Amino acid sequence: MAWGQNISEPCLLKTGIGCPAVSAGDEAEMGVMSTVSSGQHTRPMCYLLLLMILQLGLHTAEGVWPLPQTLISSTERFHLSPQAFYFGYGRQSAAQQGCSVLDAAFKRYFALIFPDYTSGRWNLFSDKNEKDGTLPFNVDKQFTVEVSVDHNDCDGYPNESSSERYNLSVFSGRASLKAVTVWGALRGLESFSQLVYQDDFGSYFVNKTDIKDFPRFQFRGILLDTSRHYLPVQAILKTLDAMAYSKFNVFHWHIVDDPSFPYQSRTFPDLSSKGAFHPMTHIYTQSDVRRVISHARMRGIRVLPEFDSPGHTKSWGKGQPDLLTPCYKGGIPSGTFGPINPALPSTYHFMATLFKEVSVVFPDSYIHLGGDEVDFSCWKSNPYVRAFMQKMGFGSDFTKLEAFYMENIVNITSALNKTSIVWQDVFDYHERIPKDTVLHIWKGTPASYYAELSRMTKAGMRVVLAAPWYINHISYGQDWHNYYTVQPLNFSGTEEQKKLVIGGEVCMWGEYVDATNLTPRLWPRASAAAERLWSDEKQTSNVDMAFPRLQDFRCKLVRRGIQAEPLYVGHCKQEYQGI
């Protein structure tokens, strides 16, 4: 067989229940039969096919991460040339040239697909080309990726109900990508980019492939903490890029906390000028925030801001007098401060004004209100707070005081037409919150968070699970196994209850993380959770089968400039070349 000759009867690989996408080599070992025509003889072959793959460098599409719901791949492959490669819109597509999201994605993915091509040119059919059929002259066989979407949501933002479903078919000279929305088209473009590979001589190829795909969970998030260590905007943008490669779709921006308040508020500028680590260099201006939101939008990623209160607010008090509770010792003020003071009307006026600004700056329909880890000792010490509790009939139950505060804050955001997310503590304290509030589980062993999932969903509440994915915790060895083998729906409850688990989140808290170690600590460990949240669990339950695929994906990240740490001993064909 000559170099590059296609197998006349391609070996089709389908991912079914319990059968993840496999390479042709894996298939041969499993005894799957295929046929190859050679002269006058057609004979069954298994190990011969494996030998050909090793000798000829034939490739299959097992490298897509996270694994698509359905993937059929062939060893039949097509040569791609950057000089004869085009992106275009289908004639029936609701979005056409001028769609900001897809036009930018075409440029971005051209560079990702052909990383060695340096002319800077990317290709898109013009209207004239489509009408008269003329094409730029090129000796290479043309290949076109034709994208069609049902809805023209090019100027909008992804939201909680946005479809990310797509179908991708790759055949000779053409790939067809069909999606309901531009956000689904972005996911399909990412999958196509991962299908393209280079042989040992630097030539680009893609195999005949058919993918039908959609996410298992609608909410697939990454949390970054920019209070404990300030993260430069560029580090956030780079994380958004890597999130798109793993098909994450929510950036949970834990933007402020006890240590610092880097968000620069138009309404309350003293919050950052007095509460940030540095009022000029360690802040996020309104322009910075817009840049992050725009960068995320172009990648189909929502930006979910968190302004956690009443605890975790020490930095707030530096720029907003009378907001925090004065702590008392021996009947007199000690000079220290505790959580936000829930007994003062001015507190709620301030919070309403701040959240009115936040709701305009951040376009997403969700706002995270925190509500976790409130230390009651300062409230207990303050005579005015205790008097307020007696007046309200709370007695000495400080959980009722926290409930009073959180219910008021949730009502403020509801009036702004925003959906609140709160940490699980709010539910645990039996606080009265709207049924559309989303609960966020952050603590406990598997047994305890499964019990919490059962209780929350039985109460009819929607839930996001984060407890098993606190990947700021590190250990020696391949701890990605722990994140990969999580079973988010393995709790006691009805099918209706399990539909209320809307997704999960990887958390990267910042006590020991800044821009120097963020990326290697996050990737590719977060990608293990990405596959759990996107892919069919039955197809992706085996860490041994996942390992070579994740190792391959890690090398893709490295090739794309993401300093993803190694999984184990080995190498990448293209190693990381430095900052």
Side-chain angles (χ1 to χ4, degrees), residues 3 16 21 73 82 85 105 196 246 251 277 335 353 355 404 483 525 538 556:
W3 168 259
S73 175
F85 182 92
V196 178
S246 287
F251 168 42
F277 287 133
T353 307
F355 278 118
F404 172 81
Y483 313 129
R525 296 158 76 231
K538 293 179 180 177
K556 285 187 174 80

Side-chain angles (χ1 to χ4, degrees), residues 32 47 71 97-98 108 138 193 249 256 274 324 424 459 485 521:
V32 178
Y47 297 105
L71 184 152
Q97 190 168 355
R108 195 166 64 248
N138 199 294
S193 74
N249 69 341
V256 298
K274 297 181 179 180
L324 303 186
Q424 69 184 81
T485 53
R521 188 164 294 191

Side-chain angles (χ1 to χ4, degrees), residues 228-412:
R228 290 172 176 86
H229 281 98
Y230 177 83
L231 294 175
V233 171
Q234 196 57 44
I236 296 174
L237 301 184
K238 189 174 185 179
T239 300
L240 292 169
D241 291 342
M243 286 175 63
Y245 303 153
S246 287
K247 297 187 173 74
F248 282 103
N249 69 341
V250 179
F251 168 42
H252 177 175
W253 195 349
H254 188 87
I255 192 167
V256 298
D257 206 297
D258 280 331
S260 74
F261 197 107
Y263 170 74
Q264 188 179 60
S265 167
R266 285 194 303 259
T267 315
F268 302 104
D270 281 353
L271 288 171
S272 61
S273 66
K274 297 181 179 180
F277 287 133
H278 189 283
M280 299 298 291
T281 59
H282 286 59
I283 60 170
Y284 301 108
T285 65
Q286 298 284 307
S287 176
D288 292 332
V289 173
R290 285 194 299 271
R291 186 180 175 196
V292 168
I293 292 170
S294 175
H295 196 88
R297 183 185 87 88
M298 300 301 272
R299 287 150 183 81
I301 297 171
R302 301 162 57 193
V303 179
L304 166 63
E306 181 182 358
F307 288 81
D308 190 357
S309 71
H312 292 280
T313 50
K314 286 182 181 178
S315 66
W316 301 40
K318 297 174 183 178
Q320 186 63 25
D322 302 321
L323 178 65
L324 303 186
T325 305
C327 305
Y328 279 64
K329 188 172 183 179
I332 60 173
S334 66
T336 61
F337 295 87
I340 284 177
N341 193 335
L344 298 178
S346 59
T347 290
Y348 302 102
H349 176 73
F350 165 78
M351 295 299 287
T353 307
L354 176 65
F355 278 118
K356 183 178 181 180
E357 174 187 320
V358 169
S359 70
V360 173
V361 173
F362 292 89
D364 197 78
S365 61
Y366 283 18
I367 292 181
H368 204 302
L369 302 179
D372 64 316
E373 296 185 310
V374 181
D375 183 353
F376 296 149
S377 60
C378 186
W379 284 350
K380 290 178 180 178
S381 76
N382 186 297
Y384 299 100
V385 171
R386 292 198 306 270
F388 176 78
M389 289 182 66
Q390 295 304 314
K391 175 184 173 184
M392 298 298 294
F394 297 158
S396 59
D397 187 350
F398 285 86
T399 65
K400 290 182 179 178
L401 181 60
E402 182 185 353
F404 172 81
Y405 172 83
M406 288 304 300
E407 288 161 15
N408 274 280
I409 300 304
V410 170
N411 289 338
I412 287 171

Side-chain angles (χ1 to χ4, degrees), residues 1-62:
M1 179 177 283
W3 168 259
Q5 181 178 336
N6 291 329
I7 300 174
S8 59
E9 295 292 334
C11 173
L12 297 182
L13 310 179
K14 189 177 191 307
T15 61
I17 296 302
C19 177
V22 294
S23 68
D26 292 329
E27 186 180 37
E29 291 178 3
M30 293 161 58
V32 178
M33 306 295 286
S34 182
T35 60
V36 174
S37 295
S38 178
Q40 301 297 316
H41 303 286
T42 301
R43 57 180 179 144
M45 57 158 296
C46 292
Y47 297 105
L48 179 58
L49 178 59
L50 174 60
L51 182 62
M52 283 196 330
I53 289 165
L54 293 174
Q55 289 181 337
L56 301 182
L58 299 179
H59 187 93
T60 55
E62 79 281 0

